[in-house]
Amino acid sequence: MGYQAKNNGVLRTGCSLLALTLGASLLTATAAAAQTAPADDAAAVEEVVVTGFRASLSSAINTKRVSNNIVDVIKADDMASFPDANLAESIQRIPGVSITRDGGEGRNITVRGLGGDFVRTTLNGIEAYSATTGSTLGVVAGINRSRGFDFSTFASELFNSVTVSKSQSAEMDEGSLAATVDLQTGKPFDKKGFRAAASVQGAYYDNNKTKAPRFAGLISNTWGDFGALFSVAYSERRAQEEGYSDTSQSDYSDANNGFCGTAVDIASQAGSQVVNTAIPYVNPLSGAGNRPAGQCFSGLPSDPTAYAAINQPNVFLPRNPGLGRFELDQKRLGMTGALQWRPSDRTDVTLDLVYSQFDQDRADYALSNASLNRNVNGASAAFPLFAGRVDAQIMDAHVQPSGQVDYMKINNVDIKHIAEKSQTTTKTHQIGLTLRHDFSDRLSGDVKIGHSGSDFQQPWDVLMSYDGFNKAGYIWDARNDSRRPFINYGYDVANPANVTFTNAGTGLTPDIRIVKAAVFNTLATAEANAKYRLNDVFTVKAGVSLKSFDFQSKQVQRLYANNSSTAVTATGTVPFNFAQFAADFPGSAPLSETITGFGKQLGMPAGSVTSWVVPDVTAYVDKLGLLCNCSNKYGDFTLAINSALGNNRKVAEKDTGAYLQVDFDTDILGGRRLRGNAGVRYVKTDLDATGYTSLTSQITVNNKYSDWLPSVNLALDVAPNLVARFAAAKVMARPSFGNLTPGGSVNTTFGAQSASIGNPFLDPYRAKNYDLSLEWYPSEGVILSATVFDKEIASSIQTIATTEAYGNTGLPLALLPAGQDASTPYLVTRSRNTQGGYIRGLEINYQQPFHFLPGLLKNTGTMLNYTYVDSSVLYYLSTGTATTPATQIHDQFLNVSPHSVNATLYYEDEKLSARVSVAYRDEYLTALPFKSEVPDANGSYATTNVDASLSYQLTPHLKLTFDALNITNQEADQWSGKERRAQRVFSTTGRQFFLGASYTF
């Protein structure tokens, strides 16, 4: 892997700097040895031919050294040799790059503190898009509808090289604030003649004790001036994630109108606390005046001591605590092809083909407290079910000095037994034709045309739940271990008799949610470039580009939520036919399944739940015909866009670009070589964004903007082995598609009433980037470098969520269910431009083979890199009003680890190759603010991932391989509140082992 990587290492900053200091000493010794060695010995060293892993590292270093821009490179042998499950995990080895893991596997990358929307990804020079859906506890398993690239959809074996350009030049397409990642597949003329290779592996996942196959193969040949190459990679993965999560942020005690009051007034607290009387809000952020009276339908009081402790300002408690298990059945197929024609040394015509298909079956099982996340939501004294927190009694509690509740005993709670299953497919394709021709020794040019696309299809996603209503004796206790709280649900959660699915006579429809979704990305591109060498110093480059991009998101879902009336609809059906279901299926037990063996690798406290009953989604789909998109004898399962307007949208974008650039290479300052480029790029963006403003009305909004983007890159050979670099550029990145919707979406589900509104007039992100680096290359395959970088971000975009009346959204009232009106409070999410901030940091990279050491140690080597990032950006805590300005604070960028380290120690001789890699990233923020007007954040603790790889060359053609990933079983470990550190997620995905063989022909 070309040598640099961020996020590796159990090493902390001090240890990494100590290692780098030691490395510098070794480098000095190496350089001194090379200078003092006898001439014939030096000549002998030069004749050593290094192949395999060390050769790929050396090649990547050489590519970095000769580049005018600041780049990091991964070469094919290196990438294929690293113990990585997919492309994201290979790229994380580069300095300044960190990854977000999803279900135990890398999915998205962050470069120097900026995430996927700020990292431009190209396949063979053509911009690439890929969408799939997430599967991580504590994170909404949403569909990627952004500009970010899902690296998890590609296997690393498909690619010849990866180049991460951290500085911008005029000839590079715009669209990145952080870096451009170019993925290159193999070409037949990379190595002339016939070549072929194949590898097979068996994978073992210890979290759920499953096995799966992996296969990769390549065949290539050249015949005179023509060549062809084909490669394929296929893998299956059956992974499991288990853990505890509080998927919603902790909240104030009187959010959702609080708990039932007490039997008598509490003298220490102002206002009446008596059950079903008007109780004042204790915090203005939760409401003004009094909470609604008469909503504790049980009429049972809370314990006065517990109530007094918890009903205070700045007291936080878990909103949705529970246990969860994800099961993933994934199939990843990738194919590349290349046809290459070289009729002469002056002409090269290449046709590149790429196809990837990523299939995923996902099952999500959860057991969670629903009452803490609900207010009364339409319940009544006649129909008290689903009343939520306001109908529950707090009987005992403990509050930490920080205000965090770490123990609760509650009566009259509702528990959800949830099962969700879905099928998704992501198909990514690209075709690109490139013609390069040298018209003379001075003039050359190239033309590239291409088409790429990503089609994401979710033919169905069905969520169902059983409910345990009004349960007594619920205990949540995190006093001994916040990561592994003890939860007693107060009843046997594995017994189907203790939960309910249908509620005939109550008017409550069973909780059946059906979603069908799709995301389509299509890009047509054409560019032409010319290069003219004026003289031995200056070369002029110019070019134009045209890109036409279309994004479309579609979603339909079941019309009837779980609180729908049983009244006959316009189609003559009812949402759910209780009588027919009861007649055909007396009791829900035959349609249930039991989750067993939960928490074996979590270390949960004694007495914790290890099994619980859930609906068997597959059985219900089959027996009730849930996927018919129709009304049948069991009810109305029609799908429509009514409550998914915001996810039905499209963007048509046309980008026009032109550039002029001068490259130079000359001697200055006494013969020192200075090379680089300077130029300017002009780009115009013209987009039409279309979205729904009502069920029957769409609107299309046009927005245009243009940018002049100057840039300069300088590389000075200060000494024969010392290169100093400077780069400066003005850069821009376009808003995410989700922010551009002129309409909006509404979620009317109990406890999650929310609306999301887009803004098609957003300006792009704009920034000025500066880089300064010093690189020392004392001998072949050795580098010690340091880079400082500064990104001054002039404009940014923030999505802000505030609680406000639904009428403020401008969306039609017709979208609301019965019992709601314009005054109903909704969590409203909006997008707006903000003032931006800065990202500054340092990257240190050290790489060296220890061939100067004695004995077997001469076959060892290391790769170390360390990244420090300091960032600050403006965050609005609310949208503000005409009379009240929005509250704002400054804090670090989301998903930015201030410290990260990668460390690899390797051994390689003619037969044996072995490596251990460590990726460490410091803790980072994941959301800010987590609630309107609260200057606090959610975040992730530091993580350390340890991987290893071993191979043995059995014969000149046959190699045995063994890889081990996540050896230490690193947990996903997230918190809520910087000071309170309430546990938001604690989950494990287990270790992964791969045993196989490869054969070259």
Side-chain angles (χ1 to χ4, degrees), residues 263 678 963:
D963 297 325

Side-chain angles (χ1 to χ4, degrees), residues 541-614:
K541 296 180 178 179
V544 295
S545 64
L546 299 172
K547 291 186 292 185
S548 177
F549 180 77
D550 290 301
F551 162 85
Q552 186 172 12
S553 171
K554 296 182 178 181
Q555 182 167 316
V556 290
Q557 53 199 53
R558 189 176 179 221
L559 285 171
Y560 298 100
N562 54 9
N563 62 332
S564 296
S565 167
T566 58
V568 177
T569 68
T571 62
T573 63
V574 295
F576 194 84
N577 191 329
F578 297 100
Q580 186 68 55
F581 179 84
D584 292 351
F585 308 100
S588 57
L591 297 177
S592 302
E593 63 177 317
T594 303
I595 304 305
T596 60
F598 177 84
K600 291 181 179 179
Q601 296 195 29
L602 286 172
M604 299 296 286
S608 294
V609 165
T610 59
S611 64
W612 67 91
V613 66
V614 296

Side-chain angles (χ1 to χ4, degrees), residues 587-809:
S588 57
L591 297 177
S592 302
E593 63 177 317
T594 303
I595 304 305
T596 60
F598 177 84
K600 291 181 179 179
Q601 296 195 29
L602 286 172
M604 299 296 286
S608 294
V609 165
T610 59
S611 64
W612 67 91
V613 66
V614 296
D616 184 340
V617 172
T618 303
Y620 275 97
V621 166
D622 179 54
K623 301 298 184 182
L624 273 63
L626 299 182
L627 303 183
C628 70
N629 189 19
C630 69
S631 297
N632 61 28
K633 66 177 182 177
Y634 294 109
D636 193 337
F637 306 114
T638 305
L639 307 182
I641 66 170
N642 294 41
S643 55
L645 294 185
N647 285 328
N648 287 272
R649 59 179 187 265
K650 57 185 177 180
V651 176
E653 182 179 281
K654 297 186 184 302
D655 305 326
T656 305
Y659 73 91
L660 179 65
Q661 178 176 305
V662 177
D663 290 9
F664 48 85
D665 191 335
T666 187
D667 291 338
I668 64 170
L669 301 175
R672 292 177 174 84
R673 183 187 178 198
L674 175 67
R675 51 194 167 85
N677 56 64
V680 63
R681 185 176 189 88
Y682 171 79
V683 59
K684 179 182 178 181
T685 304
D686 187 343
L687 66 88
D688 291 317
T690 302
Y692 281 91
T693 56
S694 72
L695 288 175
T696 58
S697 176
Q698 281 186 313
I699 184 174
T700 297
V701 178
N702 177 263
N703 191 18
K704 299 178 181 178
Y705 48 86
S706 59
D707 291 88
W708 289 92
L709 306 172
S711 60
V712 61
N713 289 272
L714 303 175
L716 176 65
D717 291 343
V718 180
N721 294 322
L722 189 63
V723 180
R725 298 181 185 271
F726 171 76
K730 186 178 180 180
V731 296
M732 60 86 76
R734 299 177 179 89
S736 176
F737 301 118
N739 299 125
L740 297 175
T741 307
S745 63
V746 180
N747 181 0
T748 61
T749 303
F750 279 170
Q753 295 172 173
S754 61
S756 181
I757 306 170
N759 182 358
F761 296 107
L762 289 171
D763 288 330
Y765 302 88
R766 293 187 173 102
K768 295 178 180 178
N769 291 352
Y770 304 94
D771 294 84
L772 182 64
S773 71
L774 194 62
E775 302 164 0
W776 186 31
Y777 303 91
S779 61
E780 181 69 23
V782 183
I783 181 176
L784 178 63
S785 66
T787 303
V788 293
F789 56 87
D790 181 11
K791 299 179 183 295
E792 298 295 330
I793 300 175
S795 65
S796 186
I797 297 171
Q798 184 186 348
T799 300
I800 307 167
T802 58
T803 300
E804 54 188 279
Y806 176 86
N808 293 343
T809 66

Side-chain angles (χ1 to χ4, degrees), residues 100 266 485 913:
T100 302
I266 300 176
S913 180

Side-chain angles (χ1 to χ4, degrees), residues 828-859:
V828 181
T829 302
R830 306 173 188 265
S831 299
R832 64 184 294 178
N833 284 110
T834 67
Q835 298 175 11
Y838 67 82
I839 297 177
R840 300 165 186 160
L842 167 70
E843 294 172 354
I844 298 176
N845 180 49
Y846 165 51
Q847 182 175 318
Q848 180 165 26
F850 299 146
H851 52 69
F852 55 86
L853 294 178
L856 294 178
L857 293 178
K858 69 181 179 181
N859 298 318

Side-chain angles (χ1 to χ4, degrees), residues 43-91:
V45 170
E46 290 298 325
E47 292 176 2
V48 173
V49 178
V50 181
T51 60
F53 179 70
R54 280 190 291 175
S56 68
L57 299 183
S58 180
S59 175
I61 287 178
N62 290 336
T63 301
K64 177 183 178 71
R65 183 173 182 175
V66 301
S67 173
N68 285 341
N69 291 15
I70 297 176
V71 302
D72 291 309
V73 182
I74 305 173
K75 291 294 186 179
D77 287 345
D78 180 10
M79 191 174 0
S81 299
F82 259 94
D84 300 320
N86 64 30
L87 194 57
E89 300 190 3
S90 293
I91 297 174

